[in-house]
Amino acid sequence: FKQKTAYEIRLSLVGSEMCIRDRNDASALFRSGWTAVYTVSISIIIHSIGALCVWILALELGLNINYIIVLAFLPLISLAQLIPVSIAGWGVREGAVVSLFALMGLDPSISLVVSLLWGSSIVLSAVLSGLLWCFMRSGNENLRDIRTSEFYN
C-alpha cells in the first residue's frame, strides 16, 4: 500500500468536489451581469445549432418533424446522455431520440438512424477539431506544460 500525497488525494476528489466548485462558479457567473448574458446566449446558440442539425438529418431521412419540437427535445436528450451508464452517451442518446420521436408518431428505425448519424457527426467534428488543434499549435507548446493546478485556481 502506497501512501498518497496531498496532490494525488486532491486529484482523486475532483469528482466529489466538482459539484461544489461548479455551484460556486455558477453563482459567481450570474453575479457578473454581462458575462452571464454572454454565456447563456452562447449556450442557446449552440443548442439551437445542434437542434438544427438533428432537424435537417430528420428531414433528409423523410421524418416530418417541426424544428421547435426538436429544439424542445434536445435538452431532454442531452440530459439523458449525462446518465453515466455508457461511453459518451452512446445508446442512451439513441434510446432517448427513438422514444421522444415515437411520442410524435415517427418511425423508430429512422429515428435511430438520425441519432446514429448525429452522434457520428459529433465524433467526427471532435476528431477533426482535435487533429486541427494538434497540428496547429505552436512548436514551443508542450502538453506536459499544462498543469492541473491551472484549472483549479
Side-chain angles (χ1 to χ4, degrees):
F1 179 79
K2 180 184 174 245
Q3 186 163 347
K4 291 183 178 182
T5 64
Y7 179 75
E8 291 170 330
I9 292 171
R10 181 175 181 187
L11 287 179
S12 67
L13 293 175
V14 167
S16 61
E17 292 177 348
M18 194 172 295
C19 293
I20 296 167
R21 193 172 44 248
D22 289 346
R23 185 187 65 216
N24 292 338
D25 290 346
S27 65
L29 170 72
F30 286 105
R31 281 193 304 266
S32 62
W34 285 111
T35 304
V37 171
Y38 175 76
T39 304
V40 170
S41 300
I42 293 294
S43 179
I44 290 170
I45 290 168
I46 289 171
H47 280 288
S48 299
I49 291 170
L52 183 66
C53 293
V54 173
W55 181 62
I56 290 171
L57 282 171
L59 289 179
E60 289 299 318
L61 291 172
L63 293 179
N64 188 15
I65 190 167
N66 191 341
Y67 172 73
I68 301 300
I69 293 171
V70 175
L71 190 61
F73 284 166
L74 192 66
L76 299 173
I77 295 166
S78 297
L79 281 174
Q81 282 181 255
L82 294 176
I83 300 170
V85 294
S86 68
I87 297 173
W90 284 93
V92 178
R93 175 184 50 243
E94 284 68 34
V97 169
V98 169
S99 299
L100 291 171
F101 280 20
L103 289 174
M104 300 305 301
L106 301 173
D107 183 13
S109 60
I110 304 294
S111 301
L112 177 64
V113 172
V114 167
S115 183
L116 290 171
L117 286 173
W118 178 37
S120 299
S121 69
I122 292 169
V123 168
L124 181 64
S125 66
V127 167
L128 292 176
S129 299
L131 289 173
L132 184 67
W133 178 79
C134 282
F135 292 119
M136 299 298 288
R137 62 191 171 101
S138 65
N140 62 355
E141 280 183 282
N142 188 348
L143 295 179
R144 291 186 201 130
D145 292 340
I146 299 174
R147 298 176 198 245
T148 308
S149 62
E150 293 174 9
F151 297 105
Y152 295 111
N153 294 333

